[in-house]
DNA sequence: TGAACCGTTAACCAAATGGTTAAACGAGTT
DNA sequence: AACTCGTTTAACCATTTGGTTAACGGTTCA
């Protein structure tokens, strides 16, 4: 993300790129070194081991993803215009880092324990409770249909994130070529928000 | 899946299990051999190389996933009761093989070319066109709201599949423990169908 | 000038890993 | 009993890979 040029930074950036694309098991220390344009020994000089280096990249990635989820569930929306802008910027932010979700999903599945530890001290942990209450209020008032709040939240995230996770498969099944896929994503911003709002009509 | 006991079958079953959990890069031939309870050399005796063995497992998996997607987009539904049963059985079938989607998404991302070749000769390739026409008819008639058919289809698949792909993350974020997660999935069947139907109300 | 220090590198090492091979095994067959 | 032939195994091999080390080079500072 940053553009500093210190060796440490170069290594992290290279590691991020390689780990995100190939995963922990698929990444080679040599590839990371090459990507950073330095000697392999430097990786160990700055970050003792492959696991240590991976942990840094992974933690950072989780942080990034969670802060995005947080943003979407930040209170005082559900006002029709707000939900539109929030979903739009959510999809937009994933589009900037399309490999992030699959990377995280995959590594968490490989080693579910890792995430638990991360969570203990992650500051940007999504505040679910607030949003749930807000939803319940609206249902009480009758402004939206009664639905399970958690199911709803999972659905919104699903619709935003899944297209990126499944991109190559979707491209193949729906015969969408690459410039068209970008447009598909762009259109998706409007679609998802109107779809959700429509489903919530009382 | 099958319960035959021939060595060849045992190997495939073991390979399926290991590859699905660890991916191509993370899987070790020794682990597969151990899982099958045989010598490592047997793997090469029956299936020349790791890649060949992986291809078989992967192709089979894609077949499985696509046939499920196909099923959901098989014509003459959209009748309220039918959509409910189709989505229900779709989610149910994924629940029987919860690692399948993430496995495929991930491996396709690692090597997008693989899927293209597979597709040429896959019999159960989803017939999108028929479903799109059906949707357009209904929109014409005014029985459902006007939406982009592809966006809709992607949304349905997203809502059904994503919870399995993101399971560990969802469990952590929403504090759902394991028995409760199964119930969450069970409830999801009804939720998704009613959510979709509700969103499509004219 | 030269010692101390940090960043950097080439060469090296041990373990892991995919793959091979030659021999052994075992059920038919003659 | 001996021969055949598909199956199985232990031992082995070459390469890859994460990690280490010793030396090199520049900068600082006394």
């Amino acid at each position: 993300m940053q553009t500093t040029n210190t060796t440490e930074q170069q290594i992290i950036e290279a590691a991020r790129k390689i780990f995100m694309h190939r995963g922990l098991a698929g990444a080679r220390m040599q590839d990371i070194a090459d990507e950073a344009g330095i000697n392999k020994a430097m990786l160990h000089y700055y970050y003792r081991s492959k696991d240590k280096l991976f942990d840094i990249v992974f933690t950072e990635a989780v942080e990034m993803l969670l802060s995005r989820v947080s943003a979407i569930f930040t209170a005082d929306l559900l006002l029709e215009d707000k939900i539109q802008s929030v979903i739009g910027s959510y999809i937009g932010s994933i589009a900037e880092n399309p490999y992030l979700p699959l990377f995280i999903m995959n590594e968490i599945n490989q080693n579910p324990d890792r995430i638990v530890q991360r969570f203990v001290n992650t500051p940007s942990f999504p505040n679910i409770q607030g949003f749930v209450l807000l939803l319940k209020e609206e249902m009480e008032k009758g402004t939206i249909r009664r639905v399970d709040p958690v199911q709803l939240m999972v659905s919104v995230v699903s619709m935003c994130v899944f297209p990126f996770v499944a991109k190559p498969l979707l491209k193949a099944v729906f015969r969408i070529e690459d410039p068209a896929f970008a447009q598909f994503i762009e259109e998706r911003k409007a679609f998802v928000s109107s779809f959700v709002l429509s489903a919530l009509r009382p």
Side-chain angles (χ1 to χ4, degrees), chain A:
Chain A
M1 302 296 108
Q2 278 113 354
T3 348
T4 39
N5 250 347
T6 130
T7 307
E8 267 172 296
Q9 286 287 342
Q10 278 177 294
I11 292 177
I12 291 294
E13 270 164 52
R16 183 160 44 222
K17 181 169 174 185
I18 300 294
F19 278 135
M20 287 235 186
H21 279 81
R22 302 226 232 286
L24 172 58
R28 302 287 146 235
M29 293 298 265
Q30 188 60 59
D31 295 340
I32 296 175
D34 291 349
E35 177 72 29
I38 56 164
N39 189 287
K40 181 166 66 93
M42 294 292 283
L43 302 181
H44 293 94
Y45 178 76
Y46 283 105
Y47 310 91
R48 278 179 43 81
S49 68
K50 186 186 183 184
D51 269 303
K52 290 254 175 45
L53 185 53
F54 178 81
D55 261 11
I56 292 170
V57 170
F58 180 74
T59 302
E60 205 184 275
V62 169
E63 196 65 30
M64 229 183 288
L65 189 73
L66 285 190
S67 71
R68 283 168 191 180
V69 176
S70 277
I72 212 177
F73 292 140
T74 247
D76 84 294
L77 6 137
L78 267 186
L79 317 165
E80 306 216 351
D81 49 338
K82 279 226 172 178
I83 202 176
Q84 192 144 358
S85 89
V86 167
I87 288 184
S89 74
Y90 185 48
I91 292 182
S93 78
I94 300 175
E96 282 169 24
N97 235 310
Y99 289 96
L100 205 158
L102 184 55
F103 167 67
I104 292 182
M105 309 284 125
N106 205 53
E107 296 303 332
I108 290 183
N109 254 284
Q110 296 303 309
N111 185 351
D113 299 327
R114 208 191 295 269
I115 189 78
V116 180
Q117 295 161 350
R118 279 307 149 284
F119 269 164
V120 179
N121 43 10
T122 207
S124 63
F125 194 90
N127 177 9
I128 303 306
Q129 219 46 43
F131 195 72
V132 168
L133 288 177
L134 191 79
L135 282 173
K136 283 185 173 162
E137 264 178 42
E138 299 287 330
M139 292 177 204
E140 216 60 56
K141 278 194 275 175
T143 51
I144 63 174
R145 210 163 55 87
R146 283 195 171 281
V147 295
D148 178 337
V150 173
Q151 294 281 1
L152 173 62
M153 293 162 93
V154 171
S155 300
V156 173
V157 176
S158 297
M159 285 189 286
C160 292
V161 175
F162 189 74
F164 294 97
V165 175
K167 176 176 173 181
L169 199 56
L170 294 180
K171 281 174 63 181
V173 171
F174 293 105
R175 313 285 162 89
I176 310 177
E177 289 317 313
D178 228 340
F181 193 84
Q183 201 200 331
F184 171 80
I185 293 296
E186 199 50 39
E187 288 169 10
R188 190 149 185 86
K189 296 176 182 176
F191 176 87
V192 171
S193 34
S194 99
F195 191 79
V196 170
L197 286 172
S198 180
L200 289 180
R201 282 172 299 167

